[in-house]
Amino acid sequence: MDKKEIADVLDLIGTMLEIKGENPFKIRAYFAGARTLQGLEEDLGKLINEGRLGDIKGIGKALTEKIETLYVTGRLDFFDNLKSSVPDGLLELLEIPGLGGKKIKVLHDELEVDSIDSLTEACNRGKVAELKGFGQKTQEKILTGISNREAYSARHLWWKAREVSEQILMGLRTLAQVDRAEAAGSLRRGMETVGDLDFLVASANPLPIMKWFTSMEGVIEVTAKGETKSSVRLEDGMQADLRVVPVEQFYFALHHFTGSKDHNVRMRQKALSLGLSLSEWGLRPDKEKDASRNVGPIEADSEQAIFRELGLQYIPPALREGLGEVEAAETDSLPKLVELDDLCGCFHNHTTASDGRNTLEEMVADADARGWEYLGIADHSKSSFQANGLDEERLARQVEAIHQLNSSGQFKTYVFTGSEVDILSGGRLDFDDSVLETLDYVVASVHAGLTQDEATMTDRIVKALEHPRVTMLGHVSGRLLLRREASQLNIQKVIDAAIANNKVIELNANPMRLDMDWRHWRRAAERGLLCAINPDAHAIEHYDFQIAGIHAARKGWLTPEHILNTRSLDSVQQFLHSTNP
Ligand code: DGT
Ligand code: CA
Ligand code: CA
Ligand code: ZN
């Protein structure tokens, strides 16, 4: 742990002792120790090595031992035990501005407040204002703090965050003082939801950049404004951080603030194993390890260079989740991840026949303009009446229209006839086999009864996967990110059934779905599961969702070989014939 992190631990110890009502002298010692560390100019490692930490005013014997333990091992039993003795709900209260250990103790003792919910309730009943040392003003401030916290902590769809971020990046890049500007954080890693936006700029002249950022369009509140770091809140509740660094630090900072934390931890360990110290500031010989090496920092003019210096293959941001990517990069065994250009078409698309906004012709024309070799049309089936699902007769007419379109030669894109068939309760399909046999392929999806228990839902889906006419499973979990939880499901059983029956599972690229979740793909694909990345388009502009699908697929370590719609028309036709004769 570094100085700052240790100071934070000491602070939290002091606060927790306050909450527990311990001896004020003891408490004061921790707070004083934290402040002393924060203001310490000398190198902490050096002080510890030379045994001089205890000599510093404000750091007594007990504190010295604890700081040394934290510095060397990164943890402290005393701290861990203390933390587990204080209810989580009380620690959560610390996130509300104006609430410290003493106030939290009073709230807990007098009003039995033990969570943000019970605090809100107490405020709403006017109980907090009545407490000694609180009053009406404090009560209001607490309520505002709680509602702000909700707005701040809200996450946002990657798709939405990306749109906002691109606007801001464009603005930053037009500024004369900006040498380089990139978005980092979870957005760059392609996480399905994003907490806040993290911008990074290289410049020798940060001031005008800070000024622009804090007064740009859409800013409703400036939450922090410093010389090289600012934070703002935007109209829709999204938060954005900006850091400006000198150009020689840019790629180190970009790597650091892209994260994830777990990835960074592994990278720092890797550096240390080579006698180097890696941080947001740069890469340099680890002085603590080898004080005689008086070499300067190592330069990097790209992220690639940083990985190269550490003897690693370049790790794309999508893989930086601390899930074994550093180990794979050590042995040159990172996957060659799929890219947008690898896609030759897709299978799950709707038209005005069901609930789409564009006609069959418009959908095909746009696919053609995108250079796609093939397009699958899979409108809803009759049970999805709320989505104007097709009955047998309307489906037959659509199939006929598609055959005509294909033979007309109007478009280069070949159109496959399909259907998104409802998986009914018990796993029955919404059409008879005789109807399904008229189609090139079938996407089977659950649209109703999403709240069945795990065993029932799993059996239902497995049953559908065992049906000979089913080609692929649509949006397996039914989740709508930030809006609706995934269905209860034994996903491993579903994956097993798909592999055993030679079925494809869709990676639904709709930014609200991104379903099946990327976390399951790596292992599933290793075991032989085939993926189809589908936009679930209900309009031509939804074809763009494939970008989100590709990001999720990359996070799942998928290569073109794992994905059906990277194959050519011929080979897809072969696949469909072999699985659906
Ligand atoms: P988010 O915003 O919740 O979607 O997730 P991130 O990953 O964008 O997290 P954020 O914005 O808190 O920080 C951006 C990156 O900065 C994070 O992925 C890694 C790095 N970082 C931030 N705080 C820490 C830290 O305390 N330790 C380490 N090792 N890295 C950090
Ligand atoms: Ca972030
Ligand atoms: Ca951030
Ligand atoms: Zn659907």
Side-chain angles (χ1 to χ4, degrees):
M1 271 192 189
D2 65 20
K3 207 155 58 183
K4 187 183 166 300
E5 288 165 323
I6 297 174
D8 288 346
V9 170
L10 297 184
D11 241 337
L12 189 52
I13 290 177
T15 303
M16 289 192 292
L17 294 175
E18 275 185 335
I19 294 177
K20 301 190 76 148
E22 300 259 346
N23 178 339
F25 290 104
K26 203 167 143 190
I27 294 169
R28 217 172 296 150
Y30 283 99
F31 287 137
R35 273 197 307 276
T36 306
L37 271 191
Q38 279 159 357
L40 195 66
E41 294 198 340
E42 259 188 283
D43 185 77
L44 181 60
K46 191 157 173 255
L47 278 174
I48 290 175
N49 283 339
E50 295 171 4
R52 292 193 291 115
L53 184 60
D55 301 345
I56 294 187
K57 192 164 169 285
I59 298 187
K61 185 163 172 292
L63 223 49
T64 305
E65 277 171 19
K66 293 193 170 77
I67 293 172
E68 287 180 354
T69 309
L70 283 166
Y71 183 81
V72 175
T73 68
R75 43 182 303 277
L76 182 68
D77 283 342
F78 172 73
F79 176 62
D80 294 343
N81 294 338
L82 185 61
K83 206 164 172 194
S84 52
S85 74
V86 179
D88 288 346
L90 290 182
L91 292 178
E92 210 179 34
L93 297 181
L94 289 168
E95 291 166 25
I96 295 160
L99 286 189
K102 281 186 201 147
K103 281 212 163 69
I104 292 175
K105 178 170 164 51
V106 175
L107 288 167
H108 185 58
D109 290 352
E110 304 289 323
L111 302 175
E112 289 174 23
V113 163
D114 59 2
S115 66
I116 291 189
D117 280 348
S118 54
L119 177 60
T120 311
E121 201 197 305
C123 286
N124 287 336
R125 283 190 296 131
K127 292 288 176 199
V128 174
E130 293 167 8
L131 291 176
K132 190 162 167 273
F134 282 71
Q136 192 67 33
K137 266 233 175 80
T138 307
Q139 179 171 287
E140 274 164 27
K141 208 175 140 217
I142 290 174
L143 277 175
T144 315
I146 292 173
S147 72
N148 279 348
R149 181 182 172 276
E150 278 163 11
Y152 291 157
S153 68
R155 298 186 68 81
H156 308 270
L157 290 181
W158 178 82
W159 192 254
K160 171 81 190 147
R162 174 174 171 266
E163 190 183 303
V164 174
S165 145
E166 286 191 346
Q167 289 298 318
I168 295 176
L169 270 182
M170 224 156 48
L172 283 170
R173 285 173 181 154
T174 59
L175 301 180
Q177 299 82 8
V178 169
D179 289 334
R180 288 199 186 90
E182 293 291 346
S186 50
L187 177 87
R188 182 160 183 248
R189 300 198 313 278
M191 281 293 272
E192 64 275 27
T193 64
V194 167
D196 70 351
L197 304 176
D198 304 280
F199 295 101
L200 197 70
V201 162
S203 171
N205 186 6
L207 230 62
I209 303 170
M210 287 300 155
K211 203 163 164 203
W212 180 86
F213 183 73
T214 49
S215 58
M216 69 185 170
E217 207 191 311
V219 169
I220 54 167
E221 192 188 342
V222 178
T223 44
K225 189 174 176 182
E227 275 172 43
T228 60
K229 180 179 182 308
S230 294
S231 301
V232 296
R233 197 151 65 88
L234 303 167
E235 273 155 353
D236 40 17
M238 211 178 291
Q239 295 228 99
D241 291 343
L242 169 69
R243 288 179 184 79
V244 181
V245 299
V247 69
E248 64 275 13
Q249 270 170 29
F250 184 74
Y251 291 102
F252 294 105
L254 179 62
H255 175 267
H256 177 86
F257 291 110
T258 296
S260 63
K261 264 184 206 174
D262 290 345
H263 169 82
N264 288 353
V265 167
R266 283 294 298 119
M267 288 288 283
R268 275 200 304 268
Q269 286 170 348
K270 175 70 194 171
L272 282 177
S273 76
L274 301 171
L276 298 169
S277 136
L278 174 67
S279 72
E280 60 188 284
W281 316 113
L283 183 64
R284 61 198 78 230
D286 183 16
K287 284 209 198 76
E288 269 133 43
K289 196 158 183 198
D290 186 357
S292 66
R293 266 164 67 177
N294 200 9
V295 198
I298 295 162
E299 286 177 21
D301 57 3
S302 65
E303 265 189 337
Q304 276 82 354
I306 301 175
F307 289 99
R308 211 182 308 125
E309 288 293 343
L310 298 178
L312 297 172
Q313 242 180 320
Y314 175 70
I315 303 176
L319 296 186
R320 300 183 196 166
E321 297 294 347
L323 297 171
E325 69 279 7
V326 176
E327 291 78 354
E330 277 174 340
T331 54
D332 254 17
S333 41
L334 285 176
K336 275 215 163 46
L337 297 179
V338 62
E339 290 175 21
L340 189 61
D341 280 349
D342 294 326
L343 299 181
C344 308
C346 54
F347 302 99
H348 182 175
N349 301 290
H350 299 267
T351 72
T352 45
S354 64
D355 59 349
R357 290 205 301 268
N358 286 104
T359 62
L360 171 64
E361 280 212 10
E362 288 164 347
M363 291 298 283
V364 181
D366 201 80
D368 195 26
R370 289 167 190 256
W372 286 348
E373 263 188 90
Y374 48 86
L375 181 74
I377 296 296
D379 269 314
H380 288 287
S381 62
K382 60 188 177 187
S383 286
S384 281
F385 46 85
Q386 75 293 341
N388 190 26
L390 280 63
D391 60 14
E392 289 81 353
E393 210 182 300
R394 288 172 60 217
L395 179 63
R397 282 210 297 275
Q398 187 183 56
V399 168
E400 181 49 33
I402 290 175
H403 287 158
Q404 272 180 24
L405 201 62
N406 279 334
S407 48
S408 75
Q410 195 182 341
F411 301 109
K412 288 192 293 300
T413 304
Y414 183 83
V415 187
F416 287 118
T417 60
S419 172
E420 184 185 14
V421 180
D422 270 42
I423 304 175
L424 305 175
S425 193
R428 258 184 327 116
L429 297 184
D430 199 15
F431 285 131
D432 288 341
D433 291 7
S434 61
V435 175
L436 300 178
E437 277 160 18
T438 65
L439 302 170
D440 292 327
Y441 71 101
V442 168
V443 181
S445 306
V446 172
H447 288 116
L450 289 160
T451 54
Q452 287 178 320
D453 66 71
E454 182 179 310
T456 311
M457 181 60 94
T458 305
D459 285 351
R460 178 180 175 188
I461 293 178
V462 167
K463 183 76 64 57
L465 285 169
E466 286 165 355
H467 192 290
R469 304 304 308 182
V470 167
T471 317
M472 64 182 76
L473 184 60
H475 47 69
V476 52
S477 85
R479 76 175 179 189
L480 294 178
L481 291 165
L482 309 173
R483 286 203 353 220
R484 183 172 79 203
E485 288 296 316
S487 295
Q488 290 181 27
L489 194 66
N490 185 331
I491 193 73
Q492 288 315 326
K493 278 196 182 159
V494 169
I495 291 169
D496 289 346
I499 295 171
N501 293 283
N502 202 14
K503 306 296 182 185
V504 177
I505 291 186
E506 164 182 271
L507 199 176
N508 190 299
N510 182 314
M512 272 189 350
R513 294 189 181 270
L514 298 169
D515 188 8
M516 182 165 86
D517 190 293
W518 61 264
R519 292 161 188 82
H520 301 309
W521 276 110
R522 180 178 174 194
R523 234 183 81 69
E526 274 170 9
R527 294 177 47 221
L529 180 65
L530 194 56
C531 171
I533 302 178
N534 287 323
D536 197 352
H538 287 71
I540 52 176
E541 60 270 22
H542 295 168
Y543 287 148
D544 288 340
F545 291 166
Q546 293 295 66
I547 299 169
I550 285 286
H551 272 271
R554 291 167 65 87
K555 294 196 82 59
W557 291 54
L558 297 186
T559 69
E561 293 69 44
H562 297 131
I563 297 162
L564 178 62
N565 47 326
T566 62
R567 299 188 188 172
S568 68
L569 176 59
D570 279 355
S571 129
V572 169
Q573 264 165 339
Q574 248 176 43
F575 175 84
L576 294 180
H577 283 147
S578 69
T579 54
N580 219 354

